[in-house]
């Protein structure tokens, strides 16, 4: 292993590095820095999140750039505003002793004129998101004709986010003889295309297959019914009183919902996703960094590359559609020599996806049980005991000691301790004493979601299908969006060519049918009907039969509306299904004995969270 000095870095940089406390180069740094310092070459570097890529391109760029000139010579493109700011700050820290260095971050959502002014002052290095950069170029607010080094950081993510054209346009305006350094966690075809188009015979380096941090991250999964996801999340948080975590959801909407629910339940949580204003995102990140927020609920894009040390847990509230994303998520924890845990909450239907992830991370998931109520009480109690043990005495209390002592004159030490702890413990105990087991036994139900819901689900026919551009995921997203339902409220989505089926709990049936009485998509009425098929039907066989039925229905005329609707049997089926519609209400609120006991339970819910609660709350809505 070499030192930074041996890699050829100059004194100014070495001083900066020493200040940062970096002792030895990481693998990607060891491989990339000598190449970039000594050769004028293009480079493709593949390395996972957390491997130290910023310094791998940052050090060489800083060493090669002429700070006596005010011309923009280096351009770093990166997918999000947060990353831009992070990279710009890192570059400034690396170049702390580089006299005359001027790094400017350019990103959307902030004043373009302010940014232009900063650039004009003589930025040798610009760190930018592609969208804003292109905007600035077209307004002639930046000059990119003298760029000598361009970096595409998190290239795969930039392409995922649809920045391909912007990147292409930007790079086209830069000199042909510049060097381009592309850094990416994965190498999908699109990245290869960009590399081919803009790079000359690039050198290639790949760092391990593994995240540098993976050895320090353990991977766990928890098997629950999809509808218990949120309760499971709460228990995981309660079982880890000192949790400092990022919780990943699939969509912005779910992210917002989960965060709001957590806040309502008294946790110090915050949401981070693209629908928030820049200002809101900044505030949330600041609160998270300063630990005011213990649970940051985020989308993958918003949290990509964010570098906050000491994250204890990454919780995959939902798995992402792309399994590669998992490594980015889990890479948020287990950094800087610490260990971390990456937890996945899965329903049975998702379990097999873990196998594919295991192949990528080259590590096994361990099946863990969601702790039961008493286990959580115990953890909280011991955590409290430790906290008390470690608490520094506030001597302001001394003057009251006499009175307090008088009050407890006849109380033994044991009794006093018990009373003292009961203050906290009873709240937890009341909340959790009747809580149910959230764990689902593996293998018992042939991998189907919602085994218990068969009696309580309604199955619907809907006259859109693959032809209309839907797959099951898109249809599910569409339904839960228009119906304002949670992700787990729409299930068993089965998309056929021209029509589809899906389930909800019966309690949502009225809402579903009411919504689709006059809903038009592209000028066509979207029709939804309850099918005779029972919601809990398993296996494709019956559904396949239904497809035939559905096809027939679709062709049948005679609807009260003009379009080619199925027969108008919606009303009768709705009525006939209503009778059992309220059973799910009971089930829904049954996570714990106290959950559904209105006022008391609400108090319990907010009070028992003392270990997570902070005075500053961070609820944000658009
Ligand atoms: P990546 O871009 O690959 O995800 P970063 O460049 O953000 O990774 O680095 C991850 C973290 O590791 C940062 O906190 C960074 O300061 C730190 N780091 C980078 N290189 C080193 C090193 N050689 N020694 C110690 N810490 C480092
Ligand atoms: Mg990075």
């Amino acid at each position: 292993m070499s030192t930074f000095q041996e890699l050829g870095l100059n004194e100014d940089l070495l001083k900066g590095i020493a200040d940062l406390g970096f002792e030895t180069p990481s693998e990607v740094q060891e491989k990339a820095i000598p190449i970039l310092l000594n050769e004028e070459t293009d480079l493709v570097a593949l390395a996972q999140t957390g491997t130290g890529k910023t310094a791998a391109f940052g050090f060489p760029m800083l060493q090669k750039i002429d700070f006596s000139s005010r011309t923009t010579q280096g351009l770093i493109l990166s997918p999000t505003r947060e990353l831009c700011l992070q990279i710009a700050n890192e570059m400034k820290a690396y170049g702390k002793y580089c006299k005359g260095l001027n790094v400017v971050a350019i990103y959307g959502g902030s004043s373009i004129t302010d940014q232009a002014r900063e650039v004009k002052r003589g930025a040798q290095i610009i760190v930018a998101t592609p969208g804003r950069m292109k905007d600035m170029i077209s307004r002639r607010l930046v000059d990119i004709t003298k760029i000598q080094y361009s970096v595409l950081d998190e290239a795969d993510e930039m392409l995922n986010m649809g920045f391909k054209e912007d990147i292409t346009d930007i790079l086209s305006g830069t000199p042909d003889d510049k060097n381009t350094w592309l850094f990416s966690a994965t190498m999908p075809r699109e990245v290869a295309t960009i590399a081919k188009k803009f790079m000359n015979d690039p050198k290639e380096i790949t760092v391990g297959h593994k995240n540098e941090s993976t050895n320090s991250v353990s991977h766990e999964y928890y098997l629950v019914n999809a509808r218990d996801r949120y309760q499971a999340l709460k228990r995981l948080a309660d079982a880890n009183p000192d949790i400092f975590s990022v919780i990943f959801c699939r969509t912005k909407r779910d992210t917002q919902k989960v965060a709001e629910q957590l806040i309502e339940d008294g946790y110090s949580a915050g949401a981070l996703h693209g629908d928030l204003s820049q200002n809101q995102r900044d505030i949330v990140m600041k609160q998270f960094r300063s630990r005011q927020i213990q649970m940051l609920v985020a989308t993958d894009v918003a949290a990509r590359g964010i570098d906050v040390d000491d994250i204890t847990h990454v919780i995959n509230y939902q798995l992402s559609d792309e399994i590669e994303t998992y490594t980015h998520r889990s890479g948020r924890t287990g950094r800087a020599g610490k260990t971390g845990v990456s937890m996945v909450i899965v329903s049975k239907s998702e379990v097999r996806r873990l196998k594919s992830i295991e192949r990528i991370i080259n590590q096994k998931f361990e099946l863990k049980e969601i702790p039961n109520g008493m286990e959580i009480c115990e953890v909280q109690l011991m955590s409290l005991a430790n906290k008390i043990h470690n608490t520094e005495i506030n001597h302001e209390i001394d003057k009251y000691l006499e009175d307090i002592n008088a009050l407890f004159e006849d109380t033994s030490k044991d009794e006093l301790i018990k009373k003292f702890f009961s203050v906290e413990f009873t709240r937890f105990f009341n909340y959790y004493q009747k809580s149910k087991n959230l764990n689902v036994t593996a293998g018992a139900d042939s991998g189907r979601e919602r085994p218990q819901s068969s009696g309580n689900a309604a199955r619907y026919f809907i006259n859109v299908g693959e032809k209309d551009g839907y797959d099951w995921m898109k249809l599910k997203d569409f339904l839960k969006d228009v119906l304002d339902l949670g992700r787990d409220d729409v299930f068993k989505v089965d998309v056929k060519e021209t029509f589809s089926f899906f389930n909800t709990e019966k309690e949502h049936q009225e809402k579903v049918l009411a919504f689709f009485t006059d809903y038009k998509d592209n000028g066509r009425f979207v029709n939804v009907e309850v099918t005779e098929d029972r919601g809990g039907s398993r296996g494709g066989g019956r559904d396949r039969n239904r497809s035939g039925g559905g096809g027939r229905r679709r062709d049948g005329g005679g609807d009260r509306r003009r379009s080619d609707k199925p027969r108008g049997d919606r009303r009768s089926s709705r009525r006939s299904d209503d009778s059992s519609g309220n059973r799910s209400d009971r089930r829904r609120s049954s996570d714990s004995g106290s959950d559904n006991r209105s006022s008391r339970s609400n108090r319990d819910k907010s009070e028992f969270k003392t270990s997570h609660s902070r005075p500053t709350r961070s609820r944000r809505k658009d």
Side-chain angles (χ1 to χ4, degrees), residues 48-50 52-54 57 83 86-87 153-154 305 332 335:
Q48 296 292 343
T49 298
K53 293 190 287 290
T54 318
F57 61 75
L83 273 180
Q86 192 172 296
I87 295 168
D153 189 31
E154 308 273 5
R332 306 283 112 237
R335 297 177 148 227

Side-chain angles (χ1 to χ4, degrees), residues 66-80:
D66 175 7
F67 305 120
S68 64
S69 154
R70 285 153 46 95
T71 318
T72 303
Q73 305 152 57
L75 171 65
I76 301 165
L77 293 176
S78 116
T80 64

Side-chain angles (χ1 to χ4, degrees), residues 4 20-26 28-29 47-55 86 90 94 153-154 305 307 309 332 335:
F4 282 111
L20 282 163
F22 293 4
E23 284 168 6
T24 49
S26 71
V28 70
Q29 291 161 5
Q48 296 292 343
T49 298
T51 49
K53 293 190 287 290
T54 318
Q86 192 172 296
E90 290 261 312
Y94 302 159
D153 189 31
E154 308 273 5
D307 181 43
D309 283 340
R332 306 283 112 237
R335 297 177 148 227

